[in-house]
Amino acid sequence: MSSITIGLILIGVLFALVLLGMRIAVALLVVAFAGVWILRGNFDLSMRLMSIAAYNGVANYLFATIPLFVLMGHLVSISNVGKDTFDVAETLLRRLLGGLGIATVAANTVFAAVTGVSIASAAVFTKVAVPEMTRHGYSPSFSAGTVAGSSVLGMLIPPSLLLIIYGVLAEQSIGRMFIAGLVPGALLATGFVLWILLAAKFAPGIVFASSKRETTEPGAQAYDDLSTGQLLRKIVPIIVLVTFVLGGLYSGFFTPTEAGGVGAFAALVIAVFRRSLNLRGCWAVLSQTGTISVGILALLVAAGFYSQMLAVAGIPAAIGAFVSGSGFGPVGFLVVYVLLVLLLGMILDSSSILLIVVPIAAPIAQHLGYDLIQFGIITVIAVEVGLLTPPFGISIFTVHSTLGDRSVSLESIFAGALPYVGVMLGVLILVAAFPVLIIG
């Protein structure tokens, strides 16, 4: 049996183990270890490569970026910055038709710029935005679907954990990945807003519980007015965080790791000043940060070992040669790759998809002439579609479980999020067709 055949069988075994419920990090390590041992017939070599992957993972300076941004995200969440962001957006945008939906997208866009985690955005804005939207006459399906759909901005607008993971796996600059996510992220947010405006204008039955505007809905309560002073108190912390993190990063004053450290410190200061961080909350933030960071580190170590096994088997080179000789060409390869990622998104979580496919696909894409920064943005958008598609749809499940309202079914939330999937696919096509949209 050839090395290529063994490698392909091992990839199939990996998928089977993950679908059977094995932890993705454990599955990657088991398959990689067994693969090197079988391919080279050397147990000691497998042990040596695994130890090298573990050492490289711990020693890599870029890995410090992950716990710092995770810590910042938890501190931001405990400080109620998400609620304040929505309150400000609601005050400024509520007079537009569909204004609360637009406010949700706007708040998610800003919140994404200081957290980078889609699930955190989904949980925060489910509690904040959905009750407010339904109170003012919006359809429950539209309200929940808008929160779930716009939450995906957290994984594209930097800082983003998925962009960090892709950058590490594909050996690309984290700073360049962050900058490259700006324009596609802005396009996604703009597309979401346009959808809401068009739906509210031409298909109000989708947006509202009746065909009337939310401001005239019978029984709807009046909006709570915020004074200028209240607006400033709510918006200043947001401006401070965005300025420190994104301003320093894009000006070149901070590296991504330094930006994470500065952002975490700024978020800590905000939490202390707001008196939202007691001893129990501090311990919860630190323990959750440690748990998530160690989990991601283990995943990346396992993925590094898995990449070494693929290289030993010659899988990337063999698939690249097959694609080149099949007549598919770069465009055909990209279409097949995106379809594969979209299918995987229906059964696996985002990180698992990246860990499995990027070590195989990135070398092939580079061989076919793709810039790996552009390829990374395409990959992340395709992966994020999986957050909104059944049966996995983790953002949908997050919204549903956070609501705790059985009157809003999973099916209705999936239906409400479906238009946002269409917008994401449209942006993906634009990014693939026009590389000039990727800066950095």
Side-chain angles (χ1 to χ4, degrees):
M1 191 179 296
S2 69
S3 296
I4 302 299
T5 303
I6 293 173
L8 293 175
I9 291 173
L10 288 169
I11 293 173
V13 170
L14 174 63
F15 277 105
L17 292 175
V18 172
L19 292 175
L20 288 172
M22 182 178 285
R23 297 280 185 178
I24 181 67
V26 177
L28 286 167
L29 285 172
V30 168
V31 169
F33 188 90
V36 175
W37 189 3
I38 293 170
L39 289 166
R40 289 293 180 263
N42 190 329
F43 179 85
D44 291 337
L45 179 61
S46 289
M47 291 294 294
R48 196 175 310 119
L49 287 179
M50 186 166 63
S51 65
I52 290 172
Y55 174 79
N56 289 339
V58 175
N60 193 332
Y61 174 72
L62 288 174
F63 282 113
T65 308
I66 294 171
L68 290 172
F69 279 121
V70 172
L71 175 60
M72 182 179 69
H74 283 304
L75 289 170
V76 164
S77 295
I78 206 172
S79 302
N80 287 324
V81 169
K83 182 180 185 305
D84 289 349
T85 305
F86 179 77
D87 289 343
V88 171
E90 175 191 353
T91 300
L92 298 176
L93 299 169
R94 67 192 184 195
R95 300 192 187 282
L96 293 173
L97 187 61
L100 285 187
I102 297 171
T104 302
V105 173
N108 251 318
T109 303
V110 176
F111 195 67
V114 292
T115 57
V117 183
S118 293
I119 305 307
S121 296
V124 167
F125 290 104
T126 298
K127 295 177 182 177
V128 172
V130 173
E132 187 73 1
M133 293 172 75
T134 53
R135 184 166 72 99
H136 288 287
Y138 285 78
S139 158
S141 174
F142 173 83
S143 303
T146 297
V147 169
S150 57
S151 71
V152 302
L153 293 166
M155 283 304 182
L156 189 59
I157 294 177
S160 158
L161 286 181
L162 280 191
L163 291 178
I164 295 173
I165 292 172
Y166 174 86
V168 172
L169 293 175
E171 300 181 356
Q172 297 299 302
S173 163
I174 304 299
R176 286 190 65 203
M177 289 301 306
F178 281 176
I179 294 172
L182 278 176
V183 173
L187 286 174
L188 268 185
T190 303
F192 292 164
V193 169
L194 288 175
W195 150 248
I196 294 170
L197 287 172
L198 291 172
K201 179 71 173 176
F202 299 106
I206 295 175
V207 178
F208 306 115
S210 76
S211 60
K212 299 181 180 181
R213 291 181 57 170
E214 71 275 24
T215 51
T216 59
E217 179 67 22
Q221 302 178 35
Y223 287 99
D224 298 323
D225 289 326
L226 293 177
S227 66
T228 302
Q230 289 174 317
L231 276 176
L232 288 176
R233 280 196 297 273
K234 288 177 178 290
I235 202 171
V236 165
I238 303 166
I239 294 174
V240 168
L241 279 172
V242 172
T243 300
F244 268 99
V245 177
L246 299 187
L249 183 63
Y250 299 142
S251 66
F253 193 75
F254 299 143
T255 66
T257 306
E258 291 167 346
V262 171
F265 178 75
L268 175 62
V269 171
I270 291 170
V272 170
F273 270 100
R274 292 189 165 195
R275 300 178 181 178
S276 57
L277 193 64
N278 53 28
L279 286 176
R280 179 177 295 179
C282 185
W283 173 250
V285 166
L286 292 176
S287 61
Q288 289 169 10
T289 299
T291 300
I292 293 173
S293 301
V294 170
I296 294 174
L297 177 60
L299 287 170
L300 291 175
V301 168
F305 190 24
Y306 168 67
S307 299
Q308 292 175 339
M309 184 276 291
L310 292 175
V312 170
I315 294 295
I319 295 178
F322 170 77
V323 171
S324 299
S326 65
F328 276 176
V331 175
F333 163 75
L334 188 63
V335 171
V336 172
Y337 171 73
V338 168
L339 290 175
L340 174 63
V341 172
L342 293 177
L343 288 173
L344 291 177
M346 296 181 181
I347 54 175
L348 297 175
D349 64 278
S350 303
S351 298
S352 298
I353 297 171
L354 287 182
L355 294 165
I356 292 172
V357 303
V358 170
I360 300 173
I364 300 170
Q366 190 170 33
H367 174 73
L368 293 173
Y370 283 104
D371 175 60
L372 288 186
I373 298 293
Q374 178 198 17
F375 188 72
I377 299 299
I378 292 171
T379 298
V380 169
I381 295 175
V383 165
E384 285 296 277
V385 171
L387 292 179
L388 304 176
T389 52
F392 198 77
I394 189 169
S395 281
I396 306 294
F397 281 94
T398 300
V399 170
H400 186 259
S401 62
T402 305
L403 276 175
D405 184 359
R406 294 189 178 181
S407 65
V408 184
S409 66
L410 273 173
E411 292 78 7
S412 66
I413 303 176
F414 274 117
L418 188 59
Y420 299 96
V421 172
V423 173
M424 294 175 71
L425 293 175
V427 171
L428 187 152
I429 293 171
L430 284 175
V431 171
F434 303 102
V436 69
L437 294 174
I438 304 296
I439 59 175

